[in-house]
Amino acid sequence: MTPSPVNSIGERLLTARKKRGLSQEALANLLDPSLSQSAIAHIENGRNESSRHLVWIAAALHVRAEWLVTGKGEMFEVEWPWPETPRYTVVELPAPVLEDIGDYIKMKIGQQAKNTKSHD
């Protein structure tokens, strides 16, 4: 019997489900009624890695679908720190403005680090 591949979809699903504190049954209950606890078990055990439900599973677990399917990138979507400013308005800004914002954030982080060190 061939060992299951390291960092498979099943392993990532199991990791994400446990981080959310959900049983397979609890996860199934959050999803489409056609996806059962046994279907989740099949994915986790590597018997099914092509489920059409992976995007919905990722959404229910609040993990990035790309991470769940490929293992690339961060597991969790980074929370948007400015809820009063929609993401799309920032994404649509011209590149020079985005660079200025990035520089400002770096400067503030540097100041915060300096202040933290001086208070130690």
Side-chain angles (χ1 to χ4, degrees):
M1 183 171 186
T2 308
S4 58
V6 174
N7 210 14
S8 67
I9 290 172
E11 290 171 327
R12 288 188 294 277
L13 173 55
L14 176 65
T15 298
R17 182 175 59 75
K18 289 192 173 199
K19 281 194 180 281
R20 292 295 180 200
L22 296 171
S23 66
Q24 290 176 346
E25 185 175 359
L27 176 57
N29 289 336
L30 291 174
L31 298 163
D32 184 300
S34 66
L35 190 66
S36 65
Q37 175 274 324
S38 62
I40 292 170
H42 283 198
I43 297 168
E44 287 184 1
N45 293 326
R47 285 181 249 149
N48 180 3
E49 292 201 349
S50 62
S51 173
R52 60 190 167 103
H53 299 284
L54 288 172
V55 171
W56 291 288
I57 292 170
L61 292 171
H62 303 286
V63 298
R64 294 179 51 255
E66 179 185 21
W67 173 83
L68 182 60
V69 173
T70 67
K72 293 180 182 173
E74 295 296 319
M75 178 180 193
F76 298 106
E77 185 71 41
V78 176
E79 287 190 36
W80 187 244
W82 306 286
E84 67 283 352
T85 306
R87 284 182 189 224
Y88 71 87
T89 61
V90 174
V91 172
E92 293 172 351
L93 290 171
V97 174
L98 291 173
E99 287 176 27
D100 289 345
I101 292 169
D103 290 343
Y104 181 77
I105 290 170
K106 288 176 194 170
M107 178 193 70
K108 290 305 238 179
I109 291 170
Q111 288 175 348
Q112 182 65 35
K114 203 182 293 182
N115 289 341
T116 303
K117 284 183 183 177
S118 67
H119 293 313
D120 287 343

